[in-house]
Amino acid sequence: MNVPRKNLPADERRAVTIEAVIALAGTQNPSDITTAAIAKHMNLTQGALFRHFPTKDALWQSVMEWVAVRLLARLDAAAQGIASPLGAMHAMFIGHIAFVLEHPGVPRMLFGQLQTTESTAAKRMAQTLLQGYAERLRTRIDAGKALGEISPEIQTQAAASLFIGTIQGLVMQSLLSNDMQYLRNEAAAVYAIYERGLRTA
């Protein structure tokens, strides 16, 4: 049972709430997570929850902002100081896999937001995350072409989309099989195939 943490500063209470949502999303469908379930998980009343997030939509938006900031920061930290564009991309791939393994609720939240037909603030934040991610990849792919690491015939946007799609595919298979170790076990071999397709002959 979780021990309630009362009298936390507002920013810390919001952060704890976001982490609770991500933890719950790791074990159930995010669309089924109610504010009552979140409050119960945190040993709070719903009233206490709504003091920091006026609506469920506001909470979901904050969750997606948390994901975007931390995932992009993880990618940037992974690639920092690596001169080789392909080396940087490999580090980003492994960094993203590690992030998912640490927070298995995150891909459930992302998939849930991207498949909704409504243009919610949370969905727009998820789209912004993907745009920022793709831009980082395009920069390195173009740099790889300039340095002769990546074939000039490679289409930059397609290669960036495939990078992200490869991770999404691995994550989806892990979720379908309910085995996150699949993600850990297959990541290196799958990335090696991806990189081989980019390299200059």
Side-chain angles (χ1 to χ4, degrees):
M1 177 179 290
N2 294 316
V3 177
R5 288 186 274 179
K6 299 184 182 300
N7 303 320
L8 290 177
D11 287 346
E12 187 174 348
R13 172 63 71 196
R14 283 191 287 270
V16 169
T17 304
I18 289 167
E19 290 167 5
V21 172
I22 292 172
L24 287 169
T27 59
Q28 63 187 92
N29 186 339
S31 64
D32 294 335
I33 299 173
T34 64
T35 52
I38 297 166
K40 181 178 180 181
H41 181 79
M42 298 177 66
N43 290 328
L44 294 175
T45 65
Q46 287 192 70
L49 195 63
F50 284 124
R51 280 200 292 274
H52 300 286
F53 300 96
T55 64
K56 186 177 178 181
D57 286 343
L59 173 54
W60 254 235
Q61 179 183 357
S62 294
V63 169
M64 293 313 304
E65 289 172 351
W66 185 98
V67 171
V69 168
R70 281 160 181 76
L71 177 55
L72 293 178
R74 176 71 66 94
L75 298 177
D76 291 341
Q80 186 175 12
I82 301 177
S84 162
L86 279 177
M89 290 171 65
H90 178 254
M92 291 166 69
F93 191 95
I94 298 304
H96 189 161
I97 297 297
F99 184 83
V100 171
L101 290 170
E102 291 168 19
H103 308 288
V106 164
R108 292 178 184 272
M109 297 292 299
L110 276 170
F111 289 142
Q113 289 303 319
L114 293 175
Q115 71 183 2
T116 182
T117 57
E118 299 176 14
S119 180
T120 64
K123 180 176 181 178
R124 291 192 294 273
M125 179 54 61
Q127 292 168 330
T128 298
L129 164 60
L130 291 177
Q131 290 165 3
Y133 198 145
E135 179 57 33
R136 285 162 168 77
L137 292 169
R138 288 193 294 267
T139 297
R140 287 173 174 81
I141 292 164
D142 286 339
K145 290 181 183 180
L147 291 174
E149 282 190 352
I150 296 175
S151 170
E153 298 178 358
I154 295 294
Q155 294 185 9
T156 299
Q157 180 58 48
S161 296
L162 182 59
F163 182 104
I164 297 171
T166 298
I167 294 176
Q168 289 174 333
L170 283 169
V171 171
M172 183 64 74
Q173 291 179 73
S174 294
L175 292 175
L176 287 171
S177 63
N178 198 29
D179 179 15
M180 295 306 289
Q181 288 305 310
Y182 176 89
L183 181 61
R184 187 192 305 276
N185 296 339
E186 298 297 321
V190 169
Y191 182 81
I193 294 170
Y194 170 81
E195 184 177 300
R196 195 175 305 132
L198 296 184
R199 284 192 175 277
T200 301

